[in-house]
Amino acid sequence: NKMRGLIGNALFSKKTLLTSLKRPLFLPARAPIFLRSHSQRGISFLARGDQRKKLNLKEGDTLEGFRVISATNVPDRNLTAYLLQHDTTKAQHLHLDTSDTNNVFSVIFKTVPTDSTGVAHILEHISLCGSKRYPVRDPFFLMLKRSLNTYMNAWTYPDATAYPFSTQNAQDFNNLLGIYLDTTFFPLLREQDFRQEGYRLEPFNLEDPSSSLTLKGVVYNEMKGVYADSANVFAQQLQAALYPTSTYQHSSGGDPVSIPTLSYANLVDFHKAHYHPSNARFFSYGDLPLEGHLKFINERVLQHFSPKPFNGLITHEKRYTSPQRLMSTGPPLAGCDDTKQFKVAVGYLTNPISDSATTFDMNVAANLLLNGANAPMYQALIDSNIGLDYTSNSGYHPDFFESSFVVGLNGISQEDVERVENTIYEVLEKTSSEGFPQRRIESLLHQLELGYKHISADFGINLLSAVIHPWLHGASPTEALQTQKFIGEYQSRPQDARERLRRVLREQLVENRHRVTLQTQGTPAYAEQESGKEDQLLRQLVSGLTQQDRTRIVEDALNLRAAQEEPSNTDCLPTLSLEDISPNAPVWPVEIDHISAGSGRGAKSTPTSETDQPEYGECMWFPQPTNGVNYLHSKLYFSPTQVPLEILPFVPLLCAALTNVGVEGKDHRELAQEIESLTGGISLSPSLVADPHRPGNYSLSINLRSHALESRTADMFRLVSEILRSSTLDGQEDRLRTLILQALDSLNGDLMYRGHSFALQRASAVLPKIAESDPNPSPSLVAEVWGGIYQIQLLQSLVETEDLGPLVSLLKSLRECLIDTSKGRFSVTFDNKPDNRKSLEEGLQKLQGISGRSPRDVLLDQLKSHRNELLGEDEGPQLPTAKKQYIAVPGSVHYVAESVRTGLPYVSEGSPHLQLLSKILSSGQMHKIIREKGGAYGAGIQQGSWGFGFYSYRDPALFETLQSFAKIVQDFSPDSMSAEEIKEAKLSVFSEIDSPVSICDRGVARFELGLTDEMRQKRRDLLLKAQAKELADAAQLMKNADLPRSVCVVGPVLPEG
């Protein structure tokens, strides 16, 4: 339940594959150091990474006004944690000293709202809108393009607000540190910014001051989008019931009905009360010297403050003496018919998160209860097919002062509500009595070991996220980094571990009387009710206005508009130069050879030029310091003409089925147990990759990915081979229905969360092909049927189909058609040790010779026949064709998209120039017109080989935004581009290009995307050398009215007419 503020996620975590093991357990290892050779202006030479001067502080030492409270070596993380306290203000600072060059900083405040006006969330937005030292509008957004940051954001939690950033550049770190400190401790908090970011009354048509008044505001519209999602509303309702007397009963993001009751004075008071060093925590991570951080913080902030008591203490919730049961309504569940509009969940208030041992036990117990085919709750609720999937808030939540556990089911009928609730109780009672099988506990410990060894590119941000809540609520932050000790206890005393889990289930859940059951019905009337409340509030706000008030509102609106149109004077803001960008693209060593059945390794080859094409049987070997983990990635290719267009939409379901239905001699539960015990997972997914040379061309494949400890390499290949050779689809109708329901629930959740992506994909799907004579469907159409609105419609049709026997037959024929390792390529990322290399080569041989045996023309006839039997001839979802589409979903805001086809492939000279221009327009006029003036939460331009597309996100407007798309481009004058704007666009682009890459992904560009080092370097050169002339050419292309274009909007049901 975290609001990733200005450019982040929604208030509540979006629907994903449920993982109740939270941050403290699955933190991967840090990425090894990759030192860049470019300059870092303004910073005297610093030894970086492993060559840095390591800290050597001990408890009681003092440094820059801070005293060391503790110094803790964390060897399994390869870091030392120093906890310090400022002598005067008592502010604490946690520094994690490590060789990682991707340095992280955050300032964190405990923020305790007493209502649902969204004061903490709106303050998070406004504090970054200008400060004493940087009195410019929106220094946060301006710094996004003046920096080489690898992460910049702000997070609003229900009880905290954090402002994190990360960067690999030392000068950039100091630049951003200055911005973040000044905007949080010394913000201007202008009332004008409050009206823009929070809410305001404004004439509907500012050109006509007499037009009716309406409510606008970035946060206001953002939260209208959040509250249109049934998952978010349900989670907030249950949270309020579990925490009825504390700050957690309120919506920290803001309820749209309550936001307009917040006064500007209350916001200013909230800042005074909460944004003080005595209520702050500072966090830093990386290889840069701690002394410099502390000196900077002390001089810029702490020396200007005296100690101050903080009154926002969060105490233990008053516990219920008997379980509670509530009924409510919410937005309709997308993709469910009227009889399946119910959801029910049981929530428990559990242990304080300062109790680290119980928190760990609950994390483990929740994972074993809920996750995977062998979890007892999964077997009882998900395998029964009485609902779609778990509710999105299911799992263990160690995020508040006191944690909670929730389990529930989506998309059920009213008559099944009681059955679901009783099943939950029965499973908890039985599991707490019998305990978990020892093998499942060992499998989970194996997953934890892999999680520790897996090397992540954003490790510092993950650690920050892990320590925030324990630290704020009284636990030692360093203890949250040392979960290895609990894992060791489980491994050394397995019987004690089983008993610990039985005990924690009984004490925290079965015998816990602070229990809430929430039953919610999704109904269209909910949106009408909420809209009625908003209309009533608007009438109340307007009814008491005098003519003088109305005049002031119009004047304020005009003044805000004038301020929004005024160019920003960025002279006061720090920046980097183009010299800070490395001229050279990172190069990962690779060896290429070929594998053929029975012949072992083929001749070595080395990529020599951008014209090299992938070859079947090719294997790329990427030697990397993988910390004892081997990563396998394979692509099984098939031609677009190999599978009819009407069959292509079934490929994602085939991929899901093959790893989830069992294999010869093992049912799906036995297979799942082996995968969990021996590997880090095995996944299959459809892949579409644009040809980097030829516009409109693309490759299709089924991608297989897995990883395992070196000692389990042979087991990984054996399981992969079994899945590809002998997955058992016969008799799996019920299992397929489960997978369909889960996929539908996940995609519907994604649609509500990122509707702009679905709208842009749908719009692109109807654009004409580059070459009309091309017999293949366009790549955008394939992407739409695989993962867009078409795929949602197909899954809905399958849910409504009683007999899935024809689907089994279809998937069997499709497997025969597509699973062919003789048309595969392989990639291995590994520690280059002789014995390890040999075991990998032996494993790859086991994957050879897997293919179907039926003639292709027979398979095609079978596929079409099975499809018609399943859905009916010429029945089922229809392919999109209209150039203007409107997709109605529950809610009150829009996701607007316009797609334009250009056909500039990766290697073309125009593509990088269009990328730069897209950045200029996205951060310039689109941000100003659609976000600041229009009130949308976000807007931008997405550019790719297919073309480019405009989008807006959680947008109150529709027609105005569509008009703005065209106007922004047509009004853009290349002559108005300054050298500074071009430089900022380049910094913004390279901030993304040069972000750290996880070890397992360092071969992705070469293997998956077909981009050689030479191709990436050429594009890099074009980006760095681009000047106004090249961008003017890109602008002319963007303005070309003859380019094919289409529009799609995902939004609320429109009134007739």
Side-chain angles (χ1 to χ4, degrees):
N1 291 352
K2 173 170 57 181
M3 175 72 66
R4 291 190 182 267
L6 292 170
I7 56 173
N9 302 332
L11 172 60
F12 307 98
S13 59
K14 78 179 184 71
K15 184 71 177 78
T16 58
L17 291 177
L18 181 69
T19 302
S20 61
L21 274 170
K22 291 285 185 164
R23 293 178 292 271
L25 291 183
F26 275 126
L27 290 176
R30 66 171 180 80
I33 308 311
F34 176 68
L35 292 175
R36 301 195 181 280
S37 60
H38 54 89
S39 66
Q40 298 195 0
R41 297 176 307 105
I43 297 288
S44 57
F45 176 78
L46 286 173
R48 301 292 303 275
D50 291 324
Q51 285 73 49
R52 77 195 189 286
K53 181 180 179 182
K54 296 182 180 179
L55 272 177
N56 187 23
L57 298 174
K58 61 182 183 300
E59 183 178 342
D61 286 352
T62 59
L63 187 67
E64 295 294 336
F66 285 80
R67 185 174 301 276
V68 179
I69 299 174
S70 65
T72 308
N73 185 34
V74 188
D76 53 296
R77 304 294 193 193
N78 196 23
L79 58 82
T80 303
Y82 294 97
L83 183 62
L84 306 97
Q85 186 173 63
H86 190 244
D87 290 334
T88 304
T89 64
K90 306 307 178 186
Q92 290 189 352
H93 188 122
L94 176 65
H95 178 71
L96 306 182
D97 180 50
T98 175
S99 56
D100 194 346
T101 58
N102 190 27
N103 286 260
V104 178
F105 174 82
S106 181
V107 58
I108 307 142
F109 303 96
K110 182 183 287 187
T111 46
V112 187
T114 57
D115 54 39
S116 294
T117 59
V119 58
H121 183 196
I122 295 173
L123 177 58
E124 173 225 292
H125 278 239
I126 296 174
S127 65
L128 297 174
C129 285
S131 66
K132 184 177 179 180
R133 187 181 290 266
Y134 308 107
V136 61
R137 287 182 54 80
D138 256 346
F140 177 87
F141 276 101
L142 290 170
M143 286 304 295
L144 285 170
K145 54 188 180 180
R146 299 170 70 85
S147 161
L148 288 172
N149 71 87
T150 56
Y151 187 85
M152 278 180 68
N153 215 330
W155 306 337
T156 300
Y157 296 89
D159 56 5
T161 308
Y163 296 84
F165 71 80
S166 63
T167 180
Q168 300 173 96
N169 183 290
Q171 180 63 54
D172 201 26
F173 186 94
N174 281 349
N175 291 350
L176 294 173
L177 181 60
I179 295 289
Y180 270 60
L181 291 176
D182 209 62
T183 54
T184 51
F185 288 99
F186 308 108
L188 297 179
L189 297 183
R190 291 172 290 220
E191 188 171 1
Q192 191 173 79
D193 294 324
F194 174 74
R195 290 196 294 272
Q196 173 183 288
E197 297 295 316
Y199 76 93
R200 64 186 181 274
L201 281 173
E202 184 173 292
F204 180 80
N205 179 6
L206 196 51
E207 308 302 322
D208 178 11
S210 64
S211 61
S212 59
L213 296 178
T214 187
L215 280 166
K216 290 186 177 181
V218 172
V219 171
Y220 176 71
N221 288 312
E222 176 190 352
M223 296 312 298
K224 287 182 74 173
V226 169
Y227 273 76
D229 188 339
S230 63
N232 295 341
V233 173
F234 184 77
Q236 181 62 45
Q237 290 172 342
L238 185 55
Q239 178 180 305
L242 279 173
Y243 300 88
T245 66
S246 68
T247 186
Y248 304 117
Q249 66 183 295
H250 306 298
S251 169
S252 62
D255 186 328
V257 176
S258 300
I259 288 173
T261 66
L262 175 66
S263 71
Y264 169 68
N266 286 343
L267 179 125
V268 173
D269 290 342
F270 192 86
H271 180 270
K272 290 178 181 177
H274 293 83
Y275 281 45
H276 187 279
S278 298
N279 183 44
R281 307 287 192 277
F282 298 97
F283 173 94
S284 55
Y285 163 95
D287 69 330
L288 293 177
L290 170 63
E291 183 177 3
H293 302 345
L294 298 181
K295 182 177 182 180
F296 198 107
I297 294 169
N298 204 10
E299 291 178 353
R300 288 288 185 95
V301 176
L302 300 183
Q303 69 175 2
H304 303 290
F305 288 88
S306 301
K308 175 182 176 181
F310 176 64
N311 299 321
L313 185 66
I314 300 175
T315 58
H316 293 280
E317 188 68 48
K318 184 178 179 181
R319 297 276 172 152
Y320 293 131
T321 57
S322 60
Q324 307 292 300
R325 183 177 184 83
L326 303 173
M327 300 178 69
S328 69
T329 60
L333 282 166
C336 292
D337 62 35
D338 293 342
T339 65
K340 293 279 190 176
Q341 283 294 330
F342 286 82
K343 60 175 70 178
V344 64
V346 180
Y348 298 84
L349 187 65
T350 49
N351 62 290
I353 63 171
S354 56
D355 181 353
S356 301
T358 303
T359 296
F360 182 87
D361 291 342
M362 278 297 297
N363 258 316
V364 172
N367 187 283
L368 293 172
L369 265 174
L370 297 171
N371 294 349
N374 291 292
M377 202 69 76
Y378 185 99
Q379 292 176 0
L381 293 179
I382 306 303
D383 281 347
S384 66
N385 289 332
I386 59 176
L388 285 175
D389 201 351
Y390 290 126
T391 55
S392 63
N393 59 341
S394 291
Y396 178 59
H397 306 286
D399 303 314
F400 299 167
F401 179 72
E402 293 176 287
S403 60
S404 64
F405 173 83
V406 176
V407 58
L409 202 60
N410 268 334
I412 60 177
S413 61
Q414 186 172 13
E415 53 266 29
D416 284 328
V417 169
E418 184 177 354
R419 173 186 170 187
V420 170
E421 187 179 355
N422 290 336
T423 298
I424 291 170
Y425 303 145
E426 291 167 4
V427 170
L428 291 176
E429 178 66 46
K430 181 179 180 181
T431 309
S432 67
S433 297
E434 299 178 359
F436 296 106
Q438 186 62 37
R439 189 180 181 191
R440 290 205 64 227
I441 299 174
E442 292 171 356
S443 295
L444 180 58
L445 296 178
H446 169 257
Q447 293 296 318
L448 293 177
E449 182 182 3
L450 268 173
Y452 267 94
K453 288 180 173 292
H454 178 70
I455 296 172
S456 166
D458 54 357
F459 186 54
I461 290 291
N462 290 339
L463 289 179
L464 166 65
S465 188
V467 303
I468 285 178
H469 286 99
W471 192 9
L472 285 176
H473 296 306
S476 167
T478 58
E479 196 166 60
L481 306 175
Q482 296 176 283
T483 50
Q484 187 67 44
K485 70 177 183 179
F486 297 119
I487 296 173
E489 292 172 3
Y490 272 53
Q491 291 171 328
S492 62
R493 297 190 295 275
Q495 289 305 315
D496 289 350
R498 287 194 74 217
E499 183 56 35
R500 280 173 63 170
L501 293 173
R502 288 180 62 247
R503 185 171 61 250
V504 80
L505 285 175
R506 183 155 294 279
E507 292 176 355
Q508 297 296 325
L509 302 180
V510 175
E511 297 174 353
N512 187 348
R513 309 308 291 169
H514 194 105
R515 183 181 84 205
V516 176
T517 301
L518 177 62
Q519 170 189 329
T520 294
Q521 179 183 9
T523 170
Y526 178 83
E528 297 172 6
Q529 294 165 3
E530 293 303 299
S531 179
K533 292 177 184 178
E534 294 171 17
D535 291 342
Q536 182 180 0
L537 176 62
L538 180 60
R539 287 194 296 271
Q540 291 174 352
L541 293 173
V542 172
S543 63
L545 296 176
T546 65
Q547 185 57 46
Q548 185 177 3
D549 292 331
R550 288 176 175 269
T551 301
R552 176 183 52 80
I553 288 171
V554 173
E555 290 176 352
D556 287 343
L558 291 172
N559 290 336
L560 175 59
R561 177 64 56 86
Q564 290 167 338
E565 292 176 349
E566 185 177 338
S568 296
N569 183 354
T570 59
D571 292 345
C572 64
L573 294 177
T575 187
L576 296 180
S577 77
L578 295 181
E579 294 175 359
D580 290 292
I581 301 173
S582 171
N584 301 316
V587 175
W588 314 120
V590 59
E591 178 187 328
I592 302 176
D593 60 20
H594 293 77
I595 297 173
S596 59
S599 64
R601 292 171 60 190
K604 294 182 181 179
S605 64
T606 303
T608 57
S609 75
E610 65 182 33
T611 60
D612 282 351
Q613 296 298 315
E615 295 181 14
Y616 296 150
E618 180 182 69
C619 183
M620 293 187 176
W621 299 86
F622 292 94
Q624 291 288 334
T626 61
N627 207 16
V629 180
N630 287 327
Y631 296 90
L632 170 68
H633 185 184
S634 69
K635 295 175 68 68
L636 307 181
Y637 289 91
F638 60 94
S639 166
T641 58
Q642 192 173 337
V643 181
L645 179 56
E646 64 267 30
I647 304 299
L648 271 178
F650 292 92
V651 174
L653 186 55
L654 173 68
C655 292
L658 291 182
T659 53
N660 284 283
V661 296
V663 296
E664 186 176 326
K666 301 170 192 171
D667 65 21
H668 72 277
R669 291 171 183 165
E670 293 169 320
L671 177 63
Q673 181 64 58
E674 282 204 61
I675 291 174
E676 291 171 4
S677 300
L678 302 173
T679 78
I682 300 173
S683 67
L684 293 172
S685 60
S687 171
L688 183 153
V689 175
D691 188 319
H693 301 282
R694 290 169 286 278
N697 284 20
Y698 57 92
S699 65
L700 300 180
S701 64
I702 289 179
N703 281 15
L704 183 148
R705 301 197 73 159
S706 185
H707 64 281
L709 298 173
E710 290 175 0
S711 60
R712 297 295 191 184
T713 297
D715 294 307
M716 174 180 71
F717 280 105
R718 173 179 59 80
L719 288 168
V720 169
S721 178
E722 289 178 2
I723 288 169
L724 296 181
R725 290 180 190 275
S726 64
S727 291
T728 53
L729 290 162
D730 284 323
Q732 296 295 320
E733 288 84 352
D734 287 345
R735 183 64 179 150
L736 287 174
R737 191 173 297 279
T738 298
L739 299 176
I740 291 166
L741 290 169
Q742 288 184 296
L744 177 60
D745 191 46
S746 179
L747 276 176
N748 276 326
D750 283 348
L751 177 62
M752 297 303 298
Y753 179 74
R754 52 182 187 91
H756 61 301
S757 297
F758 282 82
L760 191 54
Q761 185 166 276
R762 184 82 169 183
S764 302
V766 303
L767 293 175
K769 292 180 284 189
I770 299 292
E772 287 301 320
S773 59
D774 186 353
N776 300 325
S778 74
S780 298
L781 182 57
V782 176
E784 165 66 15
V785 302
W786 273 358
I789 291 166
Y790 183 96
Q791 180 68 199
I792 293 176
Q793 294 169 341
L794 173 64
L795 293 171
Q796 289 172 336
S797 297
L798 294 176
V799 168
E800 297 164 3
T801 302
E802 292 186 9
D803 181 13
L804 293 182
L807 177 62
V808 170
S809 300
L810 186 153
L811 294 181
K812 287 174 63 179
S813 297
L814 191 57
R815 179 182 61 186
E816 284 269 302
C817 191
L818 301 185
I819 302 301
D820 185 350
T821 57
S822 69
K823 295 182 179 178
R825 294 171 60 241
F826 305 89
S827 165
V828 178
T829 304
F830 70 116
D831 270 326
N832 196 7
K833 295 174 287 190
D835 289 346
N836 189 36
R837 174 75 177 245
K838 181 179 178 181
S839 67
L840 288 164
E841 290 171 348
E842 292 172 350
L844 286 169
Q845 283 300 316
K846 293 180 180 179
L847 301 186
Q848 305 310 305
I850 302 174
S851 64
R853 292 172 294 277
S854 301
R856 180 174 177 272
D857 55 346
V858 173
L859 287 173
L860 291 180
D861 289 340
Q862 291 175 354
L863 286 168
K864 293 178 181 178
S865 174
H866 297 323
R867 193 266 182 201
N868 292 339
E869 185 181 359
L870 179 67
L871 298 176
E873 191 169 356
D874 298 326
E875 298 296 326
Q878 300 300 304
L879 295 173
T881 56
K883 294 296 180 63
K884 295 181 179 180
Q885 302 175 74
Y886 192 96
I887 309 297
V889 297
S892 56
V893 291
H894 302 89
Y895 303 89
V896 185
E898 181 177 6
S899 181
V900 183
R901 196 204 71 195
T902 58
L904 292 178
Y906 181 89
V907 299
S908 66
E909 292 194 1
S911 178
H913 303 151
L914 193 61
Q915 183 181 8
L916 288 170
L917 181 61
S918 297
K919 282 291 183 184
I920 290 173
L921 293 177
S922 293
S923 61
Q925 288 301 303
M926 289 200 73
H927 177 81
K928 181 176 292 187
I929 293 174
I930 297 175
R931 187 183 191 275
E932 291 185 350
K933 296 181 181 179
Y937 184 40
I941 300 176
Q942 181 176 316
Q943 183 258 347
S945 61
W946 50 273
F948 61 91
F950 307 91
Y951 67 87
S952 69
Y953 182 76
R954 289 179 180 166
D955 191 344
L958 169 55
F959 301 109
E960 297 89 343
T961 295
L962 286 172
Q963 292 169 357
S964 295
F965 288 164
K967 182 174 174 56
I968 287 168
V969 172
Q970 294 305 321
D971 289 353
F972 176 74
S973 171
D975 296 336
S976 67
M977 274 189 302
S978 66
E980 184 70 9
E981 281 183 293
I982 297 174
K983 183 202 79 172
E984 289 176 350
K986 292 179 180 181
L987 287 172
S988 183
V989 166
F990 280 100
S991 172
E992 299 170 0
I993 292 176
D994 289 343
S995 286
V997 180
S998 297
I999 287 290
C1000 61
D1001 292 327
R1002 290 186 175 175
V1004 166
R1006 181 72 178 93
F1007 176 75
E1008 170 68 16
L1009 304 179
L1011 305 179
T1012 65
D1013 296 338
E1014 292 83 1
M1015 290 160 62
R1016 292 189 297 112
Q1017 185 61 52
K1018 179 180 177 181
R1019 186 178 181 91
R1020 189 180 193 90
D1021 294 340
L1022 289 169
L1023 285 166
L1024 286 170
K1025 294 175 182 177
Q1027 299 299 326
K1029 179 185 181 302
E1030 288 80 11
L1031 297 188
D1033 293 340
Q1036 285 301 114
L1037 175 66
M1038 199 174 274
K1039 291 183 178 187
N1040 185 350
D1042 295 330
L1043 290 174
R1045 60 187 66 222
S1046 62
V1047 169
C1048 181
V1049 177
V1050 173
V1053 177
L1054 294 175
E1056 294 185 7

